[in-house]
Amino acid sequence: MKTINVGLVGITGYAGMELTRLLAGHPCMRLTMACSRAESGKRLGDYYPFLNRMPGADVIISVFEPQEAARKCEIVFLAVPAGTAMDMADALLRAGVKVVDFSADFRLHDPDTYLQWYKRDHTCPELLHKAVYGLPELYADAIAKAQLVANPGCYPTSVILGLYAAIKHDLILTEDIVVDSKSGATGAGRKASVPTLFCEVSDNFRAYGLPTHRHTPEIEQEISRLAGHEVCLSFNTHLLPTNRGILSTIYTKLKNPNTTFEEVHAAYMTTWEGSRWVRVLPKGLLPETRFVRGSMFCDIGLVVDSRTGRLIILSTIDNLCRGASGQALANANLISGLPVETGLEALAPLA
Amino acid sequence: MKTINVGLVGITGYAGMELTRLLAGHPCMRLTMACSRAESGKRLGDYYPFLNRMPGADVIISVFEPQEAARKCEIVFLAVPAGTAMDMADALLRAGVKVVDFSADFRLHDPDTYLQWYKRDHTCPELLHKAVYGLPELYADAIAKAQLVANPGCYPTSVILGLYAAIKHDLILTEDIVVDSKSGATGAGRKASVPTLFCEVSDNFRAYGLPTHRHTPEIEQEISRLAGHEVCLSFNTHLLPTNRGILSTIYTKLKNPNTTFEEVHAAYMTTWEGSRWVRVLPKGLLPETRFVRGSMFCDIGLVVDSRTGRLIILSTIDNLCRGASGQALANANLISGLPVETGLEALAPLA
Amino acid sequence: MKTINVGLVGITGYAGMELTRLLAGHPCMRLTMACSRAESGKRLGDYYPFLNRMPGADVIISVFEPQEAARKCEIVFLAVPAGTAMDMADALLRAGVKVVDFSADFRLHDPDTYLQWYKRDHTCPELLHKAVYGLPELYADAIAKAQLVANPGCYPTSVILGLYAAIKHDLILTEDIVVDSKSGATGAGRKASVPTLFCEVSDNFRAYGLPTHRHTPEIEQEISRLAGHEVCLSFNTHLLPTNRGILSTIYTKLKNPNTTFEEVHAAYMTTWEGSRWVRVLPKGLLPETRFVRGSMFCDIGLVVDSRTGRLIILSTIDNLCRGASGQALANANLISGLPVETGLEALAPLA
Amino acid sequence: MKTINVGLVGITGYAGMELTRLLAGHPCMRLTMACSRAESGKRLGDYYPFLNRMPGADVIISVFEPQEAARKCEIVFLAVPAGTAMDMADALLRAGVKVVDFSADFRLHDPDTYLQWYKRDHTCPELLHKAVYGLPELYADAIAKAQLVANPGCYPTSVILGLYAAIKHDLILTEDIVVDSKSGATGAGRKASVPTLFCEVSDNFRAYGLPTHRHTPEIEQEISRLAGHEVCLSFNTHLLPTNRGILSTIYTKLKNPNTTFEEVHAAYMTTWEGSRWVRVLPKGLLPETRFVRGSMFCDIGLVVDSRTGRLIILSTIDNLCRGASGQALANANLISGLPVETGLEALAPLA
């Protein structure tokens, strides 16, 4: 198998940490560049002791420079904040390097929507139509040909996969969707801050960001495209005292209130039966975040409540693996002509 | 202050444990009887080492016997499962003892609803109209005169207090309410079982009991009464990896989609300004379970989402104190002619 | 009961947070001054939402100024870092205010030892002989007359109380003591930092600060005084993924390897039988951090290992209450002529 | 690569769960038999939902029967309690199947020591001299030729690897060793019991089993063999509120109190430099349980305390992977002539 040299900009966050972990086990991708302004000059294995004796540990952390990246890498992963990524991506593409961007900078097709939710102008709007939304289940063919992949947000991944079959099969009223999402604390990032200290998060639970979480337009864009018309939904987020995991409880109204569980389940199975990673649970089983930990699986549970005429969809993923770094690696696999699951097969501990 | 002798049947569960804790600090209630078949004969302080050197530690655990209870107690707290409580309550009332029952046996006014949700016949339906629903904010006067108080469920306490002002002020459509509740693991009880082991709950999150949680009819009974018509709502529960705390995120549609946050907030303040325990948060603040830990507070946050025409109400309580033992003690205070907050003033650790 | 006005400098840390909690329930102390440079101007109840509707919530946070303190307070609690406290204490004493200092600045009698372990000169060494080490079990009489109390460190409180009876009764070899202490994360403070983020502490365990933890000389000073000769011991600390609690496992060698458990236990009971807060557990029981949570209790378990001729002492406290703010309040009670336990009687939640 | 068929008896515990996880990623071992009396008849993927779409999910759980095992497997892993394993192992060996036993039944060479610590007679003492202690770093050659491997205990693995270099290089006094070990709650097993419920373990810390933990004789046997004389040490265990991880803090006295850190570190590097899994940390770094999660690594930190003449060794492993199932798989690899690390290379999530 050929060796593919890749780079990672932004190693100090949890998504960067997770990607170094996954790359250490990839059979043919080799980390040749790891960038961080703050940690520049250190050996990666000294910064991340868990990496020692594994591939990647001896890379010296450097400051990002696009020409240097072009010399060292075929693909660069950008794990930097929205607003910072767009100029880096532009420079890399000009230097002939393919880019998988973790940020929101290339997820929204409309620069006005970007401005409205992210409160800044897009500096390279011409790239928006070139970027492919990196959800392999929906866009594998386009991703394989892309120069620039916009890796989906963690919450949107769980919500889009959860709603997909219901909308494809026209089961629900799209004007009445409420999403109640809960995420582990790695989703809040690895910056020093009081609200994410252990003693502020542990044995605590709270909502945050209501009602203006920035993943809202991304979810609406993709759900609208699936539905064939504009969809406006209520998206709401909470912080779990766990490291990882997203569970989205999605409340919908059935178009036909007499629809049975069996009909809904059959629609979901039709859609996902052959899927490698989307697992639809049988009647009576509900998903748990631990069962997808550290993996690419998206587990979906279905509840039909005939009392209220509702379909409740429970969708769970690992926010760092499926919701960020693992999905980025799957996209890089597609770009490189590798099987999408390469390096993503291992099960992580569940307890 | 006079001394009031009280008894507790069911010491081994978390509600029983919490009540022994609270009674140890009560200025005039004295625990004179503590019952548990399994632990009978032990000194309470040997069973619960935390109690040593505190009032109650020297009580010898006994097997419940109604005449003995009548000799020793003015009030008995029943912290036993639904189905077991009703006959005990009947026997105690006949023996002249007042009862605060933690179970669901006397919460529902209609024995048919009880049969439908609890899958058993009620053995003393004639007591249902004598029992008072023990939510002090709504029924303090009736509680003060009651022989039998049906202590509310933990989830219903959070939901009823959360919705109360919105319904009183006719702000929302009652046919479109979705409640997404999350509870700490003490809510799952203190029975030995694999699904509630540390390693099955820790770093995990899941829903359970959808869509038939038994607290549903209790919530609907009280909300219907407030609304003046039958309300059917969607009530859904999740298990948090925390010991304590309930956060209910309540999704409603505004009757008038142009209603502002300020209008909603004013309605809530009108209702709760003078309340000892219900605290309505200012704009932009959302409640956290830790801030009500071990207390009687119910913290309510409000979000008006003009994009979707929704009012989102976030209501949080401590499931063991406000949601069970503390509320039971408040009811016992009312029955005894004491100020409702007696013995319930201390703040518990928040971090 | 007379009202005693008190002030608190340093509200933003966990010890400050804990003291505001405890003062809110104190029957006769009133918080009249709360200082923090960073949060100055805010209402205390806005900074700490848990305080609302409780005493202290309406205090406006101010910048520390000694004359202002003298106008408002009889006693000031200093919950500021070592190095900062000493000059504040000096100014307060000059202004006629009594001081309970949480820092290490006045715990060590010898300024050279202070310099050696804290790497700075003491700026008011003349106060060192006036300061009283604030461990009520050992120094209640002196504390009652003190102007300046050096509140003990959290670890030393657990170790000194744990070893006290063994040394008093001359049971162990003082040249061969190893202390393995474990503390919850509130002990690491409330400053924004990556190593104390939830995701770095949760589901993790590690040692830190070996072998030079600054509490070492404080423990050695007090143990030496008890033993009547210089004692040098090995003190080692670990970080638990819990909010609160210290458990010190203290490994000692018996002077007489044939000493029985019963003899050791009898010695401990002789010492602590009448103590309000030190609880010696019976044979076979070991202490748990949860059973002392939020309280002044120190639970001590004893193990005699005849195979190795060792006495193992397990001593547990709540690091914030007994190890900091509760002990400070007990000292302020003594200074004020109040019963030492005033305002410290409530049991906190254990589960 | 040839396919090796393996069986697992005892799937319902955490070690069994972990082994199904690891086998799902093994390139040439195939699970062909999974036994559990209680769950017999179920599909393994229905019992463990995380396994679905992975190898092993479709195995039907069966009741253990040695002849059936011989038809289906070359190697059988016994993840059953001590006392149950010995007869199963005997039957399997007679049927021609190789055995890797997780229990303590074949770890101790002396049946009298077994009787003394496990309180039962050994039923097949003649197998004790055939069994090989399965610590690959010490006994790889013997393991490769063994019919029966006694997989080491979790604690002993951490302690033996931690002490090995110090004893080999004669650095410490073997008569004065104290081990303070802490383990995550998976070590307490997956049986329904109140003391291991989430709410009893979470935000709590306690010691247990002092001073008679059954891993003591296993540690002493191996350390004595290394030292060349009988060693008696103090071994003490604590329960962490984490799922996984063991950290053993090992207190020793230096033979020569003037030994420097550099000398100790050099001795450890000489021993472990070429090791795949034992990582000796540089000066100033201490190990963390998260950095070895789900892996075979044993991270060792060293502290020389010249004040007390002590060498403190901190040794950490994952109790389920290195301490049980991963080590069992490594042993099965050696038995099968595979590289010891086959199927054990993936890094698990660290946060």
Side-chain angles (χ1 to χ4, degrees):
Chain A
M1 220 182 271
K2 63 171 179 175
T3 295
I4 301 153
N5 292 333
V6 302
L8 165 59
V9 185
I11 57 152
T12 60
Y14 288 118
M17 184 195 282
E18 178 81 348
L19 192 62
T20 65
R21 165 179 96 83
L22 292 169
L23 286 171
H26 198 287
C28 52
M29 286 197 189
R30 185 170 57 178
L31 186 70
T32 54
M33 182 186 82
C35 299
S36 160
R37 188 169 297 276
E39 305 299 335
S40 158
K42 289 187 189 157
R43 193 177 146 274
L44 193 53
D46 290 343
Y47 183 70
Y48 281 139
F50 67 84
L51 259 193
N52 282 313
R53 312 234 175 137
M54 299 291 290
D58 291 323
V59 172
I60 302 301
I61 303 169
S62 60
V63 176
F64 173 68
E65 202 285 304
Q67 295 308 321
E68 180 73 6
R71 274 189 295 278
K72 288 187 174 165
C73 317
E74 292 175 52
I75 303 172
V76 165
F77 299 93
L78 293 177
V80 298
T84 304
M86 48 193 169
D87 293 333
M88 285 184 174
D90 192 32
L92 286 164
L93 293 172
R94 288 173 194 276
V97 184
K98 292 176 181 175
V99 174
V100 179
D101 177 28
F102 286 57
S103 88
D105 280 357
F106 299 101
R107 294 179 195 155
L108 301 174
H109 305 325
D110 179 359
D112 292 341
T113 310
Y114 185 85
L115 171 62
Q116 178 192 340
W117 289 83
Y118 288 85
K119 313 294 178 199
R120 77 173 73 84
D121 282 309
H122 205 288
T123 59
C124 30
E126 70 287 356
L127 288 179
L128 291 178
H129 74 278
K130 295 183 64 177
V132 177
Y133 190 71
L135 199 51
E137 279 80 359
L138 276 67
Y139 301 110
D141 292 347
I143 294 165
K145 296 177 212 142
Q147 305 289 313
L148 171 58
V149 174
N151 211 50
C154 49
Y155 287 120
T157 299
S158 74
V159 178
I160 297 164
L161 292 175
L163 279 168
Y164 186 86
I167 287 175
K168 274 289 175 197
H169 291 84
D170 204 21
L171 297 173
I172 58 171
L173 298 174
T174 53
E175 67 270 27
D176 202 358
I177 299 173
V178 170
V179 181
D180 187 292
S181 289
K182 303 88 176 172
S183 173
T186 47
R190 201 159 170 258
K191 291 233 178 72
S193 83
V194 171
T196 50
L197 291 181
F198 179 83
C199 301
E200 312 284 313
V201 173
S202 171
D203 212 29
N204 191 23
F205 184 69
R206 60 182 174 91
Y208 71 96
L210 268 57
T212 55
H213 194 287
R214 289 169 164 189
H215 284 174
T216 308
E218 182 182 341
I219 297 169
E220 290 181 347
Q221 168 183 289
E222 294 298 312
I223 296 300
S224 297
R225 192 190 142 277
L226 289 171
H229 59 261
E230 283 294 303
V231 174
C232 171
L233 50 73
S234 174
F235 172 64
N236 308 282
T237 52
H238 303 73
L239 181 65
L240 287 171
T242 66
N243 280 9
R244 287 170 176 251
I246 284 176
L247 180 75
S248 293
T249 311
I250 308 172
Y251 297 97
T252 72
K253 279 202 182 139
L254 288 162
K255 273 203 173 160
N256 174 354
N258 297 322
T259 307
T260 64
F261 173 85
E262 285 68 25
E263 290 166 326
V264 172
H265 193 259
Y268 270 75
M269 289 305 283
T270 302
T271 302
W272 295 119
E273 208 156 23
S275 165
R276 171 175 303 275
W277 288 319
V278 180
R279 300 188 290 198
V280 180
L281 304 189
K283 190 168 189 171
L285 275 194
L286 298 178
E288 311 194 17
T289 58
R290 62 176 168 153
F291 291 149
V292 299
R293 191 180 296 151
S295 83
M296 288 294 287
F297 288 118
C298 173
D299 282 2
I300 296 176
L302 300 167
V303 175
V304 171
D305 182 5
S306 57
R307 281 182 74 247
T308 62
R310 290 182 186 275
L311 166 62
I312 307 171
I313 306 155
L314 299 110
S315 173
T316 186
I317 62 164
D318 181 295
N319 61 306
L320 282 187
C321 187
R322 168 53 98 131
S325 310
Q327 192 144 269
L329 198 54
N331 287 323
N333 285 337
L334 291 171
I335 288 174
S336 308
L338 296 170
V340 67
E341 73 275 12
T342 313
L344 293 165
E345 297 99 338
L347 279 177
L350 322 127
Chain B
M1 220 181 272
K2 63 171 178 174
T3 295
I4 301 152
N5 292 332
V6 302
L8 164 59
V9 184
I11 57 154
T12 60
Y14 288 118
M17 185 195 282
E18 178 81 348
L19 191 62
T20 65
R21 166 179 94 84
L22 292 168
L23 285 172
H26 197 287
C28 53
M29 285 196 191
R30 183 170 59 178
L31 185 70
T32 54
M33 181 187 81
C35 300
S36 160
R37 188 169 296 275
E39 306 298 336
S40 158
K42 288 186 191 159
R43 195 178 144 273
L44 194 53
D46 291 342
Y47 183 71
Y48 281 138
F50 66 84
L51 259 192
N52 282 313
R53 311 232 176 137
M54 299 292 289
D58 291 324
V59 173
I60 302 300
I61 302 169
S62 60
V63 176
F64 174 68
E65 202 285 305
Q67 295 307 323
E68 180 74 6
R71 274 189 295 278
K72 288 186 175 167
C73 317
E74 292 175 53
I75 302 172
V76 165
F77 299 93
L78 294 178
V80 296
T84 304
M86 47 193 169
D87 293 332
M88 286 183 174
D90 191 32
L92 286 165
L93 292 173
R94 287 172 195 277
V97 185
K98 293 176 181 177
V99 174
V100 179
D101 177 27
F102 287 56
S103 87
D105 280 356
F106 299 102
R107 293 179 195 154
L108 300 174
H109 305 325
D110 179 358
D112 293 341
T113 310
Y114 185 85
L115 172 61
Q116 179 192 340
W117 289 84
Y118 289 85
K119 312 295 180 199
R120 77 173 73 83
D121 282 309
H122 205 288
T123 58
C124 30
E126 70 286 359
L127 288 180
L128 291 179
H129 74 278
K130 296 182 63 177
V132 178
Y133 192 71
L135 199 52
E137 280 81 359
L138 275 67
Y139 301 109
D141 292 346
I143 295 164
K145 295 176 215 145
Q147 305 289 313
L148 171 58
V149 174
N151 212 51
C154 49
Y155 287 120
T157 298
S158 75
V159 177
I160 296 164
L161 292 175
L163 279 169
Y164 186 86
I167 288 175
K168 274 288 173 198
H169 291 83
D170 204 22
L171 296 173
I172 59 173
L173 298 174
T174 54
E175 67 270 28
D176 202 357
I177 299 174
V178 170
V179 181
D180 187 294
S181 289
K182 302 89 175 173
S183 172
T186 46
R190 200 160 171 257
K191 290 232 178 73
S193 84
V194 170
T196 51
L197 291 181
F198 180 83
C199 300
E200 311 285 313
V201 173
S202 171
D203 213 29
N204 190 24
F205 184 68
R206 60 183 174 90
Y208 71 97
L210 268 58
T212 55
H213 194 288
R214 288 170 165 189
H215 284 174
T216 308
E218 183 182 341
I219 297 170
E220 289 181 348
Q221 169 183 290
E222 294 299 312
I223 296 301
S224 297
R225 194 191 140 277
L226 289 172
H229 59 262
E230 282 295 303
V231 174
C232 172
L233 49 74
S234 174
F235 171 64
N236 308 281
T237 51
H238 304 72
L239 180 66
L240 286 171
T242 66
N243 281 9
R244 288 170 176 251
I246 283 176
L247 180 76
S248 292
T249 311
I250 307 171
Y251 297 97
T252 72
K253 279 201 182 139
L254 288 162
K255 273 202 172 158
N256 175 353
N258 298 322
T259 308
T260 64
F261 173 85
E262 285 68 25
E263 291 166 325
V264 172
H265 194 260
Y268 270 75
M269 289 305 282
T270 302
T271 301
W272 295 119
E273 208 155 24
S275 164
R276 171 176 303 276
W277 288 319
V278 180
R279 301 188 290 199
V280 180
L281 303 188
K283 190 169 191 172
L285 274 194
L286 298 179
E288 312 194 15
T289 58
R290 63 176 167 153
F291 290 149
V292 299
R293 191 180 297 151
S295 83
M296 287 293 288
F297 289 118
C298 173
D299 281 1
I300 295 176
L302 301 166
V303 174
V304 171
D305 182 6
S306 56
R307 280 181 76 249
T308 62
R310 290 182 186 275
L311 165 64
I312 306 172
I313 306 153
L314 298 110
S315 173
T316 187
I317 63 164
D318 181 295
N319 61 306
L320 281 188
C321 187
R322 169 52 98 134
S325 311
Q327 191 143 272
L329 199 53
N331 287 323
N333 285 336
L334 291 171
I335 288 174
S336 309
L338 296 170
V340 67
E341 72 276 11
T342 312
L344 293 165
E345 296 100 338
L347 279 177
L350 322 127
Chain C
M1 222 183 273
K2 63 172 178 174
T3 295
I4 300 152
N5 292 333
V6 302
L8 165 59
V9 184
I11 58 153
T12 60
Y14 288 118
M17 185 195 282
E18 178 80 348
L19 191 62
T20 64
R21 164 178 97 83
L22 291 169
L23 285 171
H26 197 287
C28 53
M29 287 197 190
R30 184 170 58 178
L31 185 70
T32 54
M33 181 186 83
C35 299
S36 159
R37 188 169 296 278
E39 305 298 336
S40 158
K42 288 186 189 158
R43 195 178 144 273
L44 193 54
D46 290 343
Y47 183 70
Y48 281 139
F50 66 83
L51 260 193
N52 281 313
R53 312 235 174 135
M54 299 293 289
D58 291 324
V59 173
I60 302 300
I61 302 169
S62 61
V63 176
F64 174 67
E65 203 284 304
Q67 295 307 322
E68 180 74 6
R71 274 190 294 277
K72 288 186 175 166
C73 316
E74 293 174 53
I75 302 172
V76 166
F77 299 93
L78 293 179
V80 297
T84 304
M86 47 192 170
D87 292 334
M88 285 184 173
D90 191 32
L92 286 165
L93 291 173
R94 289 172 194 277
V97 184
K98 292 176 181 175
V99 174
V100 179
D101 177 27
F102 287 55
S103 87
D105 280 356
F106 299 102
R107 293 179 196 156
L108 301 174
H109 304 326
D110 178 358
D112 292 341
T113 310
Y114 185 84
L115 171 62
Q116 179 192 339
W117 289 84
Y118 288 86
K119 313 294 178 198
R120 76 173 73 83
D121 283 309
H122 204 289
T123 58
C124 30
E126 70 287 356
L127 288 180
L128 290 179
H129 74 278
K130 295 183 62 177
V132 178
Y133 191 71
L135 199 52
E137 280 80 0
L138 276 66
Y139 302 109
D141 292 347
I143 295 164
K145 296 176 213 144
Q147 305 289 312
L148 170 59
V149 174
N151 212 51
C154 49
Y155 287 121
T157 297
S158 74
V159 178
I160 297 164
L161 292 175
L163 279 169
Y164 185 87
I167 287 176
K168 275 287 174 198
H169 292 82
D170 204 19
L171 297 173
I172 58 172
L173 298 174
T174 54
E175 66 269 28
D176 202 358
I177 299 173
V178 170
V179 181
D180 186 293
S181 289
K182 304 88 177 171
S183 172
T186 47
R190 200 160 170 256
K191 292 232 176 71
S193 84
V194 170
T196 50
L197 292 181
F198 179 83
C199 300
E200 312 283 314
V201 173
S202 170
D203 212 29
N204 191 22
F205 184 68
R206 60 182 174 91
Y208 71 96
L210 269 55
T212 55
H213 194 288
R214 288 170 164 188
H215 283 175
T216 308
E218 183 182 340
I219 297 169
E220 289 182 346
Q221 168 183 288
E222 294 299 313
I223 296 300
S224 297
R225 193 190 141 278
L226 289 172
H229 58 262
E230 281 295 302
V231 175
C232 172
L233 49 73
S234 175
F235 172 63
N236 308 281
T237 51
H238 303 73
L239 180 66
L240 287 171
T242 65
N243 281 10
R244 289 170 176 251
I246 283 177
L247 180 76
S248 292
T249 311
I250 308 173
Y251 297 97
T252 72
K253 278 199 182 142
L254 289 162
K255 273 202 173 161
N256 175 354
N258 297 321
T259 307
T260 63
F261 173 85
E262 286 66 26
E263 289 166 325
V264 173
H265 194 260
Y268 270 76
M269 289 305 283
T270 302
T271 302
W272 295 119
E273 208 157 23
S275 165
R276 172 176 301 276
W277 288 320
V278 180
R279 300 188 291 198
V280 181
L281 303 189
K283 190 169 190 171
L285 274 194
L286 299 177
E288 312 195 16
T289 58
R290 62 176 167 151
F291 290 149
V292 300
R293 190 179 296 151
S295 83
M296 287 295 286
F297 289 117
C298 173
D299 282 1
I300 295 176
L302 300 167
V303 175
V304 171
D305 183 5
S306 56
R307 281 181 75 247
T308 61
R310 289 182 186 276
L311 166 63
I312 306 172
I313 306 154
L314 300 110
S315 172
T316 187
I317 63 164
D318 181 295
N319 62 305
L320 281 188
C321 188
R322 168 53 98 133
S325 310
Q327 192 144 268
L329 199 53
N331 287 323
N333 285 336
L334 290 172
I335 289 174
S336 308
L338 296 169
V340 66
E341 72 275 13
T342 313
L344 293 165
E345 296 99 336
L347 279 177
L350 322 127
Chain D
M1 221 182 272
K2 64 172 178 173
T3 295
I4 300 153
N5 292 333
V6 302
L8 165 59
V9 184
I11 58 154
T12 60
Y14 288 119
M17 185 196 280
E18 178 80 348
L19 191 62
T20 64
R21 163 178 98 83
L22 291 168
L23 285 171
H26 197 287
C28 52
M29 285 196 192
R30 184 170 58 179
L31 186 70
T32 54
M33 181 187 81
C35 300
S36 159
R37 189 169 295 276
E39 305 299 335
S40 158
K42 289 186 189 158
R43 196 179 144 271
L44 193 53
D46 290 342
Y47 183 71
Y48 281 139
F50 66 83
L51 261 193
N52 282 313
R53 311 232 175 138
M54 300 292 288
D58 291 324
V59 172
I60 302 301
I61 303 169
S62 59
V63 176
F64 173 68
E65 203 284 304
Q67 295 307 322
E68 180 74 6
R71 275 190 293 278
K72 288 187 175 164
C73 317
E74 293 174 53
I75 302 172
V76 165
F77 298 94
L78 294 178
V80 297
T84 304
M86 46 192 170
D87 292 333
M88 286 183 173
D90 191 33
L92 286 165
L93 292 173
R94 287 172 195 276
V97 184
K98 292 176 181 174
V99 174
V100 179
D101 177 27
F102 287 56
S103 87
D105 280 355
F106 299 101
R107 293 179 195 155
L108 301 175
H109 304 326
D110 178 359
D112 292 341
T113 309
Y114 185 85
L115 171 62
Q116 179 192 340
W117 288 84
Y118 288 86
K119 313 294 178 199
R120 76 173 74 84
D121 282 308
H122 205 289
T123 59
C124 29
E126 70 287 355
L127 288 179
L128 290 178
H129 75 277
K130 296 183 63 176
V132 178
Y133 191 71
L135 199 53
E137 280 79 1
L138 276 67
Y139 301 109
D141 292 346
I143 296 164
K145 296 175 214 146
Q147 305 289 314
L148 170 59
V149 174
N151 212 50
C154 49
Y155 287 120
T157 298
S158 74
V159 177
I160 297 164
L161 293 175
L163 279 169
Y164 185 85
I167 287 176
K168 274 287 175 200
H169 292 81
D170 203 22
L171 297 173
I172 59 172
L173 299 174
T174 53
E175 66 270 27
D176 202 357
I177 299 174
V178 170
V179 181
D180 187 294
S181 289
K182 303 88 177 172
S183 172
T186 47
R190 199 160 171 256
K191 290 231 177 73
S193 83
V194 170
T196 50
L197 291 180
F198 179 83
C199 300
E200 311 284 313
V201 173
S202 170
D203 213 28
N204 191 23
F205 185 67
R206 60 183 174 92
Y208 71 96
L210 269 56
T212 55
H213 195 287
R214 290 169 164 189
H215 283 175
T216 307
E218 183 183 340
I219 297 170
E220 289 182 346
Q221 168 182 290
E222 294 300 312
I223 296 301
S224 297
R225 195 191 140 277
L226 289 171
H229 59 262
E230 282 294 302
V231 175
C232 172
L233 49 73
S234 173
F235 172 64
N236 308 282
T237 51
H238 303 72
L239 181 66
L240 288 170
T242 66
N243 281 8
R244 288 170 176 252
I246 283 177
L247 180 75
S248 292
T249 311
I250 307 172
Y251 297 96
T252 71
K253 278 199 182 142
L254 288 162
K255 274 203 173 160
N256 174 353
N258 297 322
T259 308
T260 65
F261 173 85
E262 285 68 25
E263 290 166 325
V264 173
H265 194 259
Y268 270 76
M269 288 306 282
T270 302
T271 302
W272 295 119
E273 209 156 23
S275 164
R276 171 176 301 277
W277 289 319
V278 180
R279 301 188 290 198
V280 180
L281 303 188
K283 191 170 189 171
L285 274 195
L286 299 178
E288 312 194 15
T289 58
R290 62 177 168 152
F291 291 150
V292 299
R293 191 180 296 151
S295 82
M296 287 294 288
F297 289 118
C298 173
D299 282 2
I300 296 176
L302 299 167
V303 174
V304 171
D305 183 5
S306 56
R307 280 181 75 249
T308 61
R310 289 181 187 276
L311 166 62
I312 306 171
I313 305 154
L314 299 109
S315 173
T316 187
I317 62 164
D318 181 295
N319 61 306
L320 281 188
C321 187
R322 168 53 97 133
S325 310
Q327 192 143 272
L329 199 52
N331 288 323
N333 286 336
L334 290 172
I335 288 175
S336 309
L338 296 169
V340 66
E341 72 276 13
T342 313
L344 293 165
E345 297 99 338
L347 279 176
L350 321 128

